[in-house]
Amino acid sequence: MDFDFTEEQQQLAKTVGEFAAAKVAPHRHESDVRGSYRPGLLREMAEEGLFSLRVPPAYGGRGMSAVSCGIALEELAAADLTVCFPVLNAALVGGVLAANGTADQLARWLPPIAQGDAVVALGLTEPDRGTDAANIDMRAEPRAGGWVLTGEKTSIMVTAYATHCLVFARTGGPGARGITAFYTPLDVEGVRRERLSDLGCRAGGRGRIVFDGVFVDERDVVGEPGLGFVEVMRGFGVSRALIALMAIAVGRAALDEAIAHAGRREAFGSPIGTFQSVAFPLVEHVTMLHAARLVSYEALHRADAGRDPRVPANMAKWWAPKAAVEAVHQSLLTMGHLGWSEDGPVAQRLRDVVGLQLADGTAAATKLVVARHLLGREAAP
């Protein structure tokens, strides 16, 4: 069993880490205060190849593995969690499109994603349909040459920046098999957007998107009618592990700050790290994050090997964000007033990482996936 990354993956971590240190980390606080990315950041990320990680080379992408995508997102999240979302969306949406699109669709859709000309959002969640996503209300009515979308999506990351959306609407009866996926531009008549005010990840552009009689060409149906929800749920097997790694990176970055603080801050004549009450909690949280990281990469490795990643991915998704929140909280306590201050290095991280306990499925939703695997559907909740 080999736990080391390849030389190519180590170089990827180095390259993305250097980019994040130079172009992302110095602007984390000001982006949070302003509530938006600094001008030019998305273009710089595109030039770095961060939107092309999972796009096949035939369409201008880098065709990297799920493990490599996780490595890149870890480096970005350690610098600023909020910049991960357009990269995560490009990987998830690009993967769903690549797996289900026709040759003509892929030629139209994927190169702009890889080049950063198309910033993509995932339009699934609705105001009263979060975890119960299979019962969405948004309708798509047939029209000559296409479909007309009517309804609202909410809590959609990168709403403020997105040019396109993979949106899910009901075209048939109740349940998952009545949902169809559409890939549509957002700068069209009938689309309205509103930015939401958040506790954390304020630069991430989360918002609501209203579709008021928006026409979508029949050529922009993803896969077949009635299969949209099924296909995106398959993509969650990778994206949930990626989100777990993002959370872990935030937690580890906060712990690194606390560990450094414990080595230089003195009390009662010695560094505070010499006290068990300071050192031992840090050890515990480093251990928890390390273990969660291994489960996350197991899921991505399984996906790359063509095996089902859902069990370790869902284990990681419910556990890692919780462990990360607790690790950042402990880091704040270790650093005292410096941790509590918004001018310090960890307060923003605590606000940001809490949201990952909700993203792509709550702890209850992800535990349900694992429970059904362990017990079978008939004996599970």
Side-chain angles (χ1 to χ4, degrees):
M1 186 178 295
D2 187 358
F3 287 95
D4 292 328
F5 294 138
T6 66
E7 289 187 12
E8 180 184 10
Q9 289 168 337
Q10 292 175 32
Q11 183 59 43
L12 174 67
K14 181 176 183 293
T15 301
V16 177
E18 290 173 348
F19 171 83
K23 302 292 187 179
V24 176
H27 306 280
R28 179 166 61 92
H29 180 67
E30 67 183 68
S31 295
D32 179 66
V33 172
R34 185 174 56 242
S36 64
Y37 301 143
R38 65 175 177 81
L41 175 62
L42 290 174
R43 177 44 49 193
E44 291 171 0
M45 293 172 68
E47 292 170 354
E48 191 68 20
L50 293 171
F51 300 134
S52 64
L53 295 173
R54 297 282 282 160
V55 175
Y59 301 101
R62 303 170 73 176
M64 289 191 169
S65 65
V67 168
S68 295
C69 190
I71 291 169
L73 282 168
E74 273 194 296
E75 296 294 333
L76 287 174
D80 183 358
L81 176 62
T82 59
V83 306
C84 292
F85 295 107
V87 177
L88 177 71
N89 281 2
L92 173 58
V93 173
V96 172
L97 297 180
N100 297 281
T102 65
D104 170 70
Q105 288 174 328
L106 300 187
R108 288 189 291 115
W109 294 340
L110 294 184
I113 293 176
Q115 296 160 9
D117 295 329
V119 178
V120 293
L122 180 72
L124 180 59
T125 302
E126 296 183 0
D128 295 316
R129 299 290 186 271
T131 302
D132 192 15
N135 288 318
I136 60 173
D137 288 330
M138 184 170 175
R139 299 291 310 181
E141 301 291 344
R143 176 81 58 85
W147 300 78
V148 174
L149 305 182
T150 303
E152 177 184 340
K153 300 296 179 180
T154 194
S155 196
I156 309 301
M157 291 306 298
V158 305
T159 288
Y161 313 104
T163 63
H164 291 73
C165 187
L166 179 62
V167 60
F168 299 83
R170 188 161 302 285
T171 55
R177 293 287 176 176
I179 297 172
T180 299
F182 303 86
Y183 186 66
T184 179
L186 292 176
D187 294 327
V188 295
E189 184 178 356
V191 173
R192 302 195 314 275
R193 309 189 216 187
E194 178 184 342
R195 182 190 288 267
L196 299 175
S197 179
D198 295 333
L199 171 68
C201 289
R202 292 170 176 168
R206 189 180 71 101
R208 59 192 289 264
I209 308 174
V210 177
F211 296 82
D212 187 6
V214 176
F215 178 78
V216 179
D217 193 284
E218 61 187 4
R219 300 186 308 148
D220 292 332
V221 173
V222 182
E224 298 181 17
L227 296 182
F229 185 77
V230 175
E231 294 304 331
V232 77
M233 290 307 294
R234 289 175 181 167
F236 281 174
V238 170
S239 68
R240 284 177 173 168
L242 294 176
I243 288 174
L245 286 170
M246 289 159 50
I248 291 162
V250 176
R252 186 58 217 232
L255 287 172
D256 287 345
E257 297 279 3
I259 290 167
H261 179 79
R264 62 176 178 262
R265 173 77 161 87
E266 292 192 0
F268 307 104
S270 63
I272 62 173
T274 61
F275 300 107
Q276 292 182 5
S277 61
V278 173
F280 286 5
L282 296 176
V283 171
E284 292 168 5
H285 289 290
V286 168
T287 303
M288 289 295 182
L289 292 183
H290 180 74
R293 187 171 185 260
L294 293 177
V295 176
S296 303
Y297 275 115
E298 178 194 352
L300 298 181
H301 177 75
R302 290 178 67 90
D304 288 334
R307 299 161 63 196
D308 189 345
R310 286 178 297 173
V311 169
N314 282 280
M315 287 177 172
K317 176 58 184 68
W318 80 255
W319 179 27
K322 180 177 184 293
V325 169
E326 292 171 352
V328 181
H329 183 207
Q330 182 60 51
S331 299
L332 186 152
L333 296 177
T334 301
M335 300 181 75
H337 68 87
L338 181 60
W340 178 249
S341 172
E342 284 285 2
D343 294 325
V346 300
Q348 180 187 337
R349 287 196 174 101
L350 183 58
R351 289 190 287 101
D352 286 351
V353 78
V354 166
L356 295 189
Q357 294 184 290
L358 302 173
D360 258 29
T362 63
T366 49
K367 288 177 184 178
L368 181 61
V369 175
V370 181
R372 288 176 173 175
H373 173 80
L374 296 175
L375 300 168
R377 280 185 171 268
E378 293 184 359

